[in-house]
């Protein structure tokens, strides 16, 4: 500045003159003497009379110690130096201060609507005073307000409100970012088109020399005065297991028909707000999400809502339904005509499912339908429900039998949805709950209602296995059209009317009694068999002996039969031979003669006596009978002795006649 430069040059001379004047005032004689001494040789010297009188004059002034002069000089400086600085326009700015200058008057006037002077106009000045001595700021022309430097604490940010500058366009709500050394160069901010009002740019942790006449800095210390909480000025932190859903408060309006702004690259997670704006960032809900970390975010520009990451548990896949993205193109193929499947990132049902894990998805623009890939049981009963909750509204089926009775039937349907088929199921039906309500419930219910009307209730009860097998096959075929696998169909509790239950119970008791009787009879039969087997074991030896005896007898009989047959055959052959011989003899000598020959031969061969050994006379009956008896006895004894000696001889007993026979 010209004023300060001029004062710096003349300040030493001014201080020297002031010290000289002060010394001369205290000792005028010495001053005169000094002046005389310093006179040039061409000057006229004092008269000798005056020189003679000089010691007399000095003798009249009392002498002072030499230390009084420096001390007096210091005292005078302390008394008059502030006045000298005030007169010289001296301003001293300390190290942690900044000087805000206000010019009281000037030949120039500020333009209309402008509050900060750039060209020496009267009013608040854009330039501030840095630490040090500044001259020329005369108090009658300038007012310098000393303000402390702005400090942004650790892990906090500072917001800026510009009190002067260009007007913010109507399509924006925050002032654009201009290069101004973090708002420390007010002249540069205004010269480059800085806008009045709340600013996109923020201050991060540090110390700043800011012209507080132009900029209002909002920190955690004064946040409540500006309608902001201290928590909003903290460095924003996204937790590790959560995802930040972003809504921007400034930018171009979202296109018609869309619900979120498209992803804009290069703005460093919304920390570089001006880059976001320059690249066409949209105002409102954003497709892009923020992951875990700490971010310097302007709460006037962006708001973040933290939500849990989308978790796909084990045994599930996540089918993504996106409400934003490119115009969808169906890639499901010609075979699938019940819905559309799109590529990842397009609008619609993604053909690629999310597998087990945590996924940072924007749940405001996407919906993830969890589809179980394990077998699940859908319970058609109110007695208990599955943990999945799909069957919470299901109850036992009410059926009408052929004979007009109504009864309740519990059914348990086991289904499975493959990981590759899950997007098809969701594209067709929208959710697993819709699969149960709109497909499974009517298919199972209608089948069993139709089946029940074909049988009496007792037949249905007694043939439940057949009904279950038929139902399983029918439902398996029906669900296949919906890309769902029916694993099994099970019939649970059947609740017929009480009177039929009593009939069935009586029948069952009778059947059980019949089984009991049969079991008892079988036990008795077994007991008899045991007794029989025990008895047989006891006489086993005899049985074996008898069986062997029978076998031996049969063999002996067979032998005798064989022997008899042999003897008969021998006799037949012998007789036939003899007959042939007799016939030949008869033919040779005649029948009578041959018969006599044979008779004689037999008599000879057999030693037949023609004349008896004892002859009883007929004249003397008494003596003859006695003699005959004695003769027989003697003859028998003789024959017994002979028989013992010769067993081959044949004894022919003579006939007993009362009369003797002649040969």
């Amino acid at each position: 500045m010209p004023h300060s430069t001029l004062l710096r040059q003349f300040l030493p001379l001014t201080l020297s003159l002031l010290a000289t004047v002060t010394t001369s005032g205290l000792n005028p004689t010495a001053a005169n003497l000094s002046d005389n001494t310093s006179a040039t040789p061409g000057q006229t010297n004092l008269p000798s009379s005056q020189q003679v009188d000089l010691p007399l004059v000095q003798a009249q002034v009392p002498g002072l110690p030499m230390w009084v002069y420096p001390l007096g000089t210091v005292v005078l400086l302390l008394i008059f130096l502030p006045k000298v600085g005030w007169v010289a326009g001296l301003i001293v700015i300390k190290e942690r201060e900044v000087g805000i200058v206000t010019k009281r008057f000037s030949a120039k006037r500020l333009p209309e609507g402008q509050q900060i002077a750039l060209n020496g106009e009267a009013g608040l000045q854009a330039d501030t005073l840095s630490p040090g001595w500044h001259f020329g700021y005369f108090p009658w022309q300038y007012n310098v307000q000393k303000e402390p430097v702005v400090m942004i604490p650790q892990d906090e940010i500072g917001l800026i409100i510009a009190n002067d500058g260009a007007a913010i366009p109507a399509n924006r709500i925050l002032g654009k970012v201009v290069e101004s050394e973090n708002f420390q160069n007010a002249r540069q901010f205004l010269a480059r088109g800085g806008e009045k009002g709340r600013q996109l740019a923020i201050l991060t942790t540090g110390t700043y020399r800011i012209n507080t006449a132009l900029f209002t800095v909002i920190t955690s210390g004064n946040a409540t005065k500006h309608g902001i909480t201290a928590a909003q000025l903290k460095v924003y932190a996204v937790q590790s297991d959560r995802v930040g859903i972003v809504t921007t408060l400034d930018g171009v309006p979202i296109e018609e028909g869309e619900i979120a702004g498209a992803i804009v690259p290069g703005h460093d997670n919304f920390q570089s707000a001006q880059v976001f704006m320059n690249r066409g960032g949209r105002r409102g809900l954003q497709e892009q999400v923020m992951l875990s970390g700490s971010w310097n975010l302007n709460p006037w520009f962006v708001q973040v809502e933290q939500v849990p990451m989308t978790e796909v548990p084990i045994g599930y896949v996540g089918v993504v339904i996106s409400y934003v993205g490119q115009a969808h193109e169906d890639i499901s193929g010609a075979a699938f005509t019940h819905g559309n499947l799109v590529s990842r990132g397009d609008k619609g049902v993604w053909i690629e499912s999310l597998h087990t894990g945590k996924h940072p998805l924007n749940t405001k623009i996407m919906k993830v339908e969890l589809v179980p890939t394990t077998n699940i049981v859908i319970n058609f009963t109110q007695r208990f429900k599955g943990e999945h909750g799909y069957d919470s509204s299901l109850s036992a089926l009410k059926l009408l039998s052929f004979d007009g009775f109504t009864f309740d039937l519990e059914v348990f349907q086991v289904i499975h949805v493959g990981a590759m088929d899950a997007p098809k199921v969701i594209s067709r039906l929208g959710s697993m709950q819709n699969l149960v309500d709109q497909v499974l419930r009517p298919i199972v219910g209608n089948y069993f209602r139709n089946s029940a009307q074909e049988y009496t209730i007792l037949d249905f009860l007694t043939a439940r296995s057949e009904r279950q097998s038929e139902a399983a096959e029918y439902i398996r075929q029906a669900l296949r059209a919906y890309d769902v696998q029916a694993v099994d169909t099970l019939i649970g509790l059947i609740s017929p009317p009480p009177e039929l239950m009593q009939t069935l119970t009586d029948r069952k008791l009778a059947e059980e009694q019949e089984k009991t009787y049969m079991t008892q009879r079988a036990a008795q039969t077994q007991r008899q068999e045991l007794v029989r087997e025990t008895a047989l074991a006891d006489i086993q030896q005899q049985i074996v002996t008898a069986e062997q005896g029978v076998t031996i007898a049969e063999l002996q009989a067979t032998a005798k039969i064989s022997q008899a047959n042999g003897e008969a055959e021998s006799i037949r052959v012998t007789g036939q031979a003899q007959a042939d011989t007799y016939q030949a003899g008869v033919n040779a000598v005649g029948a009578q003669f041959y018969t006599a020959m044979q008779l004689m031969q037999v008599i000879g061969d057999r030693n037949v006596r023609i004349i008896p050994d004892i002859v009883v006379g007929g004249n003397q009956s008494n003596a003859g009978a006695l003699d005959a008896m004695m003769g027989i006895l003697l003859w028998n004894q003789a024959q017994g002795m002979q028989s013992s000696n010769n067993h081959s001889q044949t004894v022919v007993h003579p006939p007993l006649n009362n009369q003797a026979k002649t040969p």
Side-chain angles (χ1 to χ4, degrees):
M1 299 288 295
H3 297 84
S4 60
T5 304
L6 182 62
L7 289 177
R8 289 192 191 98
Q9 293 177 353
F10 288 96
L11 179 60
L13 178 60
T14 303
L15 294 176
S16 299
L17 291 175
L18 180 62
T20 303
V21 171
T22 304
T23 306
S24 301
L26 293 176
N27 192 357
T29 305
N32 293 332
L33 181 61
S34 174
D35 292 339
N36 293 331
T37 306
S38 60
T40 57
Q43 295 177 346
T44 305
N45 294 329
L46 293 175
S48 57
S49 60
Q50 295 180 355
Q51 293 180 357
V52 173
D53 296 336
L54 182 59
L56 297 176
V57 175
Q58 290 179 349
Q60 295 176 358
V61 179
L64 296 175
M66 293 301 296
W67 58 268
V68 173
Y69 302 107
L71 180 60
T73 303
V74 171
V75 171
L76 291 177
L77 288 176
L78 292 176
I79 294 174
F80 293 101
L81 183 58
K83 298 298 182 179
V84 173
W86 180 80
V87 173
L90 173 64
I91 300 296
V92 178
I93 304 298
K94 297 179 181 179
E95 182 64 26
R96 304 189 69 80
E97 291 179 341
V98 60
I100 309 300
V101 179
T102 302
K103 194 171 185 179
R104 299 180 185 277
F105 59 88
S106 175
K108 300 179 181 179
R109 299 184 61 182
L110 282 174
E112 188 69 25
Q114 185 175 335
Q115 300 180 18
I116 306 299
L118 293 175
N119 301 311
E121 300 92 344
L124 292 169
Q125 302 297 303
D127 299 315
T128 59
L129 300 181
S130 59
W133 286 20
H134 303 271
F135 295 94
Y137 291 94
F138 305 108
W140 57 85
Q141 186 178 10
Y142 294 96
N143 178 33
V144 178
Q145 183 70 30
K146 299 178 182 179
E147 297 288 342
V149 295
V150 175
M151 296 185 62
I152 306 299
Q154 185 70 27
D155 296 329
E156 293 185 9
I157 63 170
L159 300 179
I160 303 296
I161 299 176
N163 301 319
D164 197 5
I168 298 176
N171 61 343
R172 289 190 288 107
I173 62 174
L174 298 177
K176 65 181 180 180
V177 178
V178 297
E179 178 59 36
S180 60
E181 301 177 9
N182 286 317
F183 302 100
Q184 296 181 104
N185 193 331
R187 177 178 293 276
Q188 191 176 27
F189 175 85
L190 295 173
R192 295 191 176 186
E195 297 170 342
K196 182 189 302 184
R198 295 183 300 177
Q199 301 296 303
L200 273 176
I202 60 174
L203 297 177
T204 57
T205 301
T207 302
Y208 302 89
R209 302 184 184 280
I210 293 179
N211 187 339
T212 55
L214 175 60
F215 301 111
T216 299
V217 182
I218 303 175
T219 63
S220 58
N222 62 353
T224 55
K225 297 179 181 180
H226 300 276
I228 298 177
T229 63
Q232 290 179 282
L233 299 179
K234 296 289 185 180
V235 174
Y236 194 84
V238 180
Q239 301 178 15
S240 60
D241 60 342
R242 304 178 77 85
V243 60
I245 298 178
V246 178
T247 300
T248 57
L249 305 178
D250 201 357
V252 182
I254 295 176
E255 295 180 358
E256 184 177 357
E258 298 293 338
I259 64 172
I263 297 177
V264 176
H267 54 77
D268 192 16
N269 284 297
F270 303 96
Q271 294 183 112
S272 300
Q274 192 60 52
V275 175
F276 177 86
M277 301 285 288
N278 294 341
R279 296 187 178 182
R282 303 287 176 170
R283 178 187 307 174
L285 181 64
Q286 300 296 308
E287 292 185 25
Q288 182 177 347
V289 296
M290 298 183 65
L291 303 182
S292 62
S294 297
W295 314 99
N296 293 314
L297 301 179
N298 187 338
W300 288 336
F301 170 66
V302 62
Q303 293 179 350
V304 182
E305 177 187 358
Q306 294 192 39
V307 297
M309 286 189 178
T310 301
E311 181 177 3
V312 179
I314 297 176
Y316 287 80
V317 295
V319 178
V320 179
I321 305 172
S322 177
Y323 305 123
V324 298
Q326 300 294 329
H328 67 274
E329 178 182 355
D330 184 19
I331 60 173
S332 59
F336 184 70
T337 59
H338 305 282
N340 297 332
L341 299 176
V342 300
S343 300
R344 188 182 185 94
D346 289 347
K347 183 185 298 184
V349 180
W350 291 1
I351 195 171
E352 298 179 8
S353 301
L354 302 179
H355 296 285
T356 301
K358 291 186 177 182
H359 304 271
L361 298 182
N362 189 338
T363 54
K364 293 292 183 68
I365 63 173
M366 295 178 182
K367 177 183 177 183
V368 178
E369 186 69 26
L370 294 179
V371 178
T373 55
T374 57
N375 293 347
I376 61 173
V377 181
I378 306 300
N379 305 292
F380 287 81
T381 179
Q382 286 292 340
R383 292 191 298 130
F384 45 84
K385 300 297 180 182
E387 295 182 358
H388 46 70
Y390 300 138
D391 52 6
S392 59
S393 62
L394 299 181
S395 59
L397 302 176
K398 293 188 178 298
L399 307 181
L400 178 65
S401 64
F402 178 77
D403 48 0
F405 291 99
T406 60
F407 62 97
D408 293 340
L409 174 66
E410 291 182 347
V411 179
F412 308 104
Q413 180 63 50
V414 184
I415 63 174
H416 172 75
V417 179
M420 301 298 295
D421 295 329
K424 296 180 181 179
V425 173
I426 300 304
S427 178
R428 180 199 296 261
L429 299 170
S431 67
M432 285 295 294
Q433 188 63 54
N434 291 343
L435 170 65
V436 175
D437 295 340
Q438 301 175 13
V439 176
L440 197 59
R441 186 208 298 261
I443 288 178
V444 174
N446 289 341
Y447 172 79
F448 279 103
R449 290 186 182 94
N450 296 337
S451 177
Q453 293 181 359
E454 298 177 359
Y455 302 93
T456 65
I457 187 170
L458 293 181
D459 290 340
F460 197 93
L461 289 173
T462 55
R464 60 179 292 164
S465 298
E466 290 78 1
R467 304 291 82 76
Q468 179 173 291
S469 300
E470 294 170 357
E473 182 60 27
Y474 174 84
I475 295 173
R476 183 178 296 110
Q477 295 294 336
L479 292 182
R480 188 174 298 171
Y482 295 90
D483 300 299
V484 178
Q485 302 175 26
V487 179
D488 202 357
T489 303
L490 305 174
I491 294 178
L493 182 64
I494 302 176
S495 302
E499 57 272 17
L500 288 180
M501 283 299 297
Q502 185 62 41
T503 301
L504 186 60
T505 301
D506 295 341
R507 179 185 298 180
K508 190 63 177 178
L509 289 176
E511 292 177 355
E512 293 300 325
Q513 288 178 352
E514 181 182 359
K515 292 180 181 179
T516 301
Y517 297 152
M518 293 180 64
T519 302
Q520 291 176 351
R521 184 174 65 181
Q524 292 296 332
T525 302
Q526 292 293 332
R527 189 179 64 81
Q528 293 174 2
E529 290 293 331
L530 176 61
V531 173
R532 180 176 176 277
E533 293 296 331
T534 304
L536 289 176
D538 294 339
I539 63 174
Q540 187 66 31
Q541 183 176 1
Q542 298 177 9
I543 292 174
V544 173
T545 302
E547 289 177 351
Q548 294 299 323
V550 170
T551 302
I552 293 172
E554 290 177 353
L555 294 176
Q556 288 177 350
T558 302
K560 288 180 178 181
I561 292 172
S562 300
Q563 182 178 1
N565 290 335
E567 290 177 354
E569 183 66 24
S570 176
I571 293 172
R572 188 186 65 77
V573 174
T574 303
Q576 183 66 39
Q578 288 179 354
D580 293 340
T581 302
Y582 292 159
Q583 185 66 39
V586 171
N587 293 335
V589 295
Q592 295 181 354
F593 184 75
Y594 185 75
T595 301
M597 290 178 63
Q598 289 296 319
L599 181 59
M600 293 301 292
Q601 184 177 357
V602 170
I603 293 172
D605 292 338
R606 298 293 181 88
N607 295 322
V608 177
R609 291 184 180 184
I610 300 174
I611 301 173
D613 292 334
I614 301 172
V615 179
V616 178
N619 294 324
Q620 301 177 353
S621 57
N622 295 331
L626 181 61
D627 292 338
M629 290 297 291
M630 292 299 292
I632 291 172
L633 292 173
L634 292 173
W635 184 83
N636 287 333
Q637 291 179 355
Q639 286 298 113
M641 295 176 64
Q642 184 177 1
S643 177
S644 61
N645 295 327
N646 186 11
H647 296 282
S648 63
Q649 294 182 359
T650 303
V651 179
V652 179
H653 298 282
L656 298 178
N657 297 323
N658 294 328
Q659 297 179 357
K661 301 290 181 96
T662 58

